[in-house]
Amino acid sequence: MTSTSLPDSLIATLPGSAYTDPGIFAQEQEHIFETMWFCVARSSDLAKPGAFRTVDVGRESILVTRARDNSIRAYFNVCRHRGARLCTEESGEVKRAFQCPYHAWTYDLTGKLAAAPNLTKMPDVGRTEYGLVSVATREWLGYVWVCLAENPPSFEEDVVGEVVARLGDAESIERYDIDHLAVGRRIVYDVQANWKLIVENFMECYHCATIHPELTEVLPEFADGYAAQYYVGHGAEFGEDVQGFTVDGSEGLDRIPGVAEDQDRRYYAITVKPQVFINLVPDHVIFHRMFPVAVDRTIVECDWLYLPHVVESGKDVSRSVELFDRVNRQDFEACERTQPGMSSRLYAKGGVLVPSEHHIGAFHEWVGERLGMRQPQ
């Protein structure tokens, strides 16, 4: 095929290999997931000391737990003795310590080496020096974020800064009081597609009129192809006859008290690179976390968050859950249909972005900069 210059209306995407090459995925694990702040769990999943969760961040297994002083701690899930996986369960609870199932080296909740066979005969073995290796942690919006980098980047710039860049300020998201909302539903999706296809899909609405009939009924402006993320501070307005962000447009649940008048009856979407999507509506928040596990497979964990009394009282949240569950399934099916095309010779040099998708080009540039790749011309 002979190369031709693109019309001014179109810009080039990444090449197909960016979505299919295991070598590129390995670089992304090393230079993106293992160096940036990565959201791993809802804080309430670690409700009391000893509760833990294991998560894969890049190529590493990370053990996240709550210590006896109620602080969140995170460690490489690797025994310091012979490198055995310390915890093999995805989640659980210990009373006071983690014990390696291989040689019984035992670590307390602060990571300190508490016991080991014949340890008293080895007084030169430091309990802290040979304790678990910790990673940086932060709690924000009621979620636990970790960073594997030896010198983590600024959380305020890299995470909070993404929200500010989208909404215009941090106060706009703080009004939703996400820290204190309760999980009304959690759905985990196993998507057979590259993580970047999912990010790109979430960032644009050129596809909305085609595959999201329920969403465009609630948010009519989405039918025009411009996503909520296209403009700084913009929230898509509910349709005139729409009462709530539900699958049939019927009334939603109790409105979050802090939501401002100009945020009412609006939907806001935020991408926090590399793996978080936040969706804000007046009565609930939808929070996605992606866990890229292979070049062509991504686990997406999605929480629907409501006011605590809504969840505790057992109110029916199914109509609001069903709306975005359908959106998710429609989106993920589209990504799975796209993934095989990334291997086609026709897509070796990539595809194109139309004007309403041009902001995705900035995401492609960001990926290229993180990996030191040249962008397609």
Side-chain angles (χ1 to χ4, degrees), residues 9-11 13 204 206 225 230 352-360:
S9 296
L10 304 177
I11 61 175
T13 69
E204 55 93 357
Y206 192 47
Y230 192 75
V352 294
L353 300 170
V354 302
S356 63
E357 304 170 304
H358 280 187
H359 56 295
I360 296 174

Side-chain angles (χ1 to χ4, degrees), residues 196-362:
K196 295 188 295 299
L197 290 178
I198 299 173
V199 173
E200 294 162 13
N201 171 278
F202 186 72
M203 291 179 70
E204 55 93 357
C205 212
Y206 192 47
H207 67 276
C208 288
T210 308
I211 71 171
H212 295 320
E214 300 88 356
L215 185 63
T216 53
E217 280 290 321
V218 175
L219 305 173
E221 68 184 73
F222 273 16
D224 294 331
Y226 286 92
Q229 298 191 74
Y230 192 75
Y231 308 103
V232 174
H234 177 70
E237 191 170 2
F238 292 5
E240 187 175 341
D241 298 327
V242 170
Q243 293 180 284
F245 197 73
T246 58
V247 71
D248 55 3
S250 59
E251 187 176 357
L253 297 150
D254 293 355
R255 176 177 158 184
I256 299 167
V259 173
E261 286 298 324
D262 62 355
Q263 293 174 308
D264 194 20
R265 293 182 56 77
R266 288 187 179 272
Y267 161 85
Y268 298 85
I270 307 160
T271 301
V272 181
K273 296 188 293 289
Q275 45 83 248
V276 169
F277 308 140
I278 306 171
N279 310 271
L280 308 172
V281 292
D283 65 328
H284 64 282
V285 171
I286 308 160
F287 201 103
H288 296 72
R289 297 178 302 292
M290 290 196 305
F291 297 89
V293 295
V295 70
D296 57 358
R297 183 181 175 218
T298 308
I299 303 298
V300 183
E301 191 169 277
C302 184
D303 291 342
W304 279 260
L305 308 169
Y306 304 85
L307 290 170
H309 74 263
V310 169
V311 177
E312 292 162 6
S313 66
K315 287 187 177 181
D316 184 8
V317 300
S318 62
R319 284 174 297 135
S320 57
V321 170
E322 185 176 352
L323 174 57
F324 225 84
D325 179 43
R326 287 195 192 184
V327 171
N328 281 338
R329 294 180 191 280
Q330 290 158 352
D331 281 337
F332 299 153
E333 287 172 6
C335 293
E336 290 180 336
R337 286 196 300 273
T338 303
Q339 182 66 39
M342 300 297 97
S343 300
S344 170
R345 69 183 70 182
L346 186 66
Y347 210 81
K349 294 184 178 180
V352 294
L353 300 170
V354 302
S356 63
E357 304 170 304
H358 280 187
H359 56 295
I360 296 174

Side-chain angles (χ1 to χ4, degrees), residues 102-166:
Y102 193 4
H103 296 96
W105 278 39
T106 305
Y107 307 88
D108 68 20
L109 300 181
T110 67
K112 187 177 179 180
L113 179 62
N118 304 317
L119 185 59
T120 55
K121 297 179 181 179
M122 298 177 281
D124 57 334
V125 176
R127 303 293 183 99
T128 300
E129 182 184 359
Y130 284 90
L132 297 177
V133 176
S134 62
V135 299
T137 62
R138 285 288 297 266
E139 285 186 86
W140 190 56
L141 303 180
Y143 283 87
V144 178
W145 309 66
V146 303
C147 183
L148 276 55
E150 192 170 332
N151 298 299
S154 165
F155 188 89
E156 285 66 30
E157 291 180 12
D158 281 19
V159 179
V160 181
E162 290 265 45
V163 174
V164 172
R166 167 67 189 93

